[in-house]
Amino acid sequence: MIILISLLKIARVEYGGGGDWYNDPEILPNITKEFNSRVSPIFDTNAYSVRLSSPEIYEYVMLFITGHDGIRFSDEEIKNLRKYLENGGFLYVDDDYGLDSAFRREIKRVFPEYELVEIPPDHPIFHIFYDIPLPKVHEHYPGTPKAYGIFIRGRLAVLYTWNSNVSDGWTDRYGDPPDVREKAIRMGINILYYAVMGI
């Protein structure tokens, strides 16, 4: 008997508002390949993108947002994203410089009753596979990198990394030192692991 097992998929969000949602298209294929080789071969490593208004978002275990500058959700996108996250979905947002104020405004429209709170260093997302503090891959702002989240019924549903730029470390196009890239990859593997486990 042959048993067919569907691979898990993640997708980047095609958002409006003027930001470059499409930048560094290789980063999601790269980090899923790293996960498959280091942990377990469970991810589809193709590059997918999706609009938040599409019912297809429910096909993905994680949605990913990065880019610079503007971001804007429509009312339909807000409603669909909220439903996705309330039903076990996971959103990871990595500020690639300039996204902060726009993202904070839009996620407040999705969850007006919740706040983005700083995630403590003992949270499982920093320890679930690797013990790794949030790395600072690129210097965008003075100070330390920060991880924020929105928790729904105790579960981290939205992860937002600021002044870290973790996802830039999932590509070699910037010539980052090997140790910096390794920290970024380890953090990325933890993020994917957490998205799958849904702790």
Side-chain angles (χ1 to χ4, degrees):
M1 180 177 64
I2 298 175
I3 299 175
L4 298 177
I5 300 175
S6 296
L7 295 173
L8 302 176
K9 298 190 295 184
I10 63 177
R12 71 167 58 209
V13 172
E14 301 176 27
Y15 56 83
D20 53 342
W21 64 265
Y22 45 81
N23 76 334
D24 300 345
E26 71 276 11
I27 54 180
L28 292 187
N30 286 357
I31 195 61
T32 49
K33 288 172 185 175
E34 290 286 351
F35 188 101
N36 286 354
S37 66
R38 299 187 188 202
V39 185
S40 183
I42 63 172
F43 280 103
D44 181 333
T45 61
N46 290 302
Y48 295 99
S49 64
V50 67
R51 295 184 182 277
L52 290 177
S53 57
S54 171
E56 292 179 6
I57 66 172
Y58 299 96
E59 298 176 10
Y60 302 101
V61 296
M62 186 180 93
L63 300 176
F64 173 69
I65 292 176
T66 192
H68 307 80
D69 303 318
I71 182 170
R72 173 71 71 174
F73 299 150
S74 69
D75 290 345
E76 184 181 7
E77 288 173 326
I78 286 172
K79 181 179 179 180
N80 209 31
L81 177 59
R82 180 177 178 119
K83 184 178 177 182
Y84 167 83
L85 294 170
E86 287 180 333
N87 285 278
F90 185 79
L91 172 66
Y92 172 44
V93 182
D94 186 30
D95 178 16
D96 198 0
Y97 190 68
L99 199 68
D100 186 66
S101 61
F103 170 68
R104 287 178 179 274
R105 180 196 66 228
E106 294 306 289
I107 201 65
K108 193 64 177 177
R109 293 176 63 214
V110 178
F111 290 113
E113 73 273 38
Y114 293 126
E115 299 293 334
L116 273 170
V117 297
E118 189 168 350
I119 300 172
D122 61 348
H123 189 273
I125 204 159
F126 301 115
H127 309 282
I128 195 167
F129 189 79
Y130 290 109
D131 284 308
I132 178 79
L134 181 64
K136 190 168 190 174
V137 177
H138 289 157
E139 179 81 33
H140 293 318
Y141 312 95
T144 59
K146 299 287 187 180
Y148 300 95
I150 287 178
F151 291 81
I152 299 175
R153 296 184 295 276
R155 177 185 67 90
L156 179 64
V158 178
L159 170 67
Y160 172 49
T161 50
W162 175 85
N163 201 22
S164 170
N165 212 179
V166 173
S167 64
D168 266 7
W170 302 344
T171 176
D172 60 5
R173 69 165 63 204
Y174 299 111
D176 295 310
D179 64 316
V180 172
R181 287 203 65 219
E182 177 63 20
K183 290 175 183 177
I185 289 167
R186 290 186 178 196
M187 189 70 233
I189 286 172
N190 275 21
I191 292 168
L192 294 184
Y193 204 122
Y194 186 90
V196 171
M197 297 296 289
I199 292 175

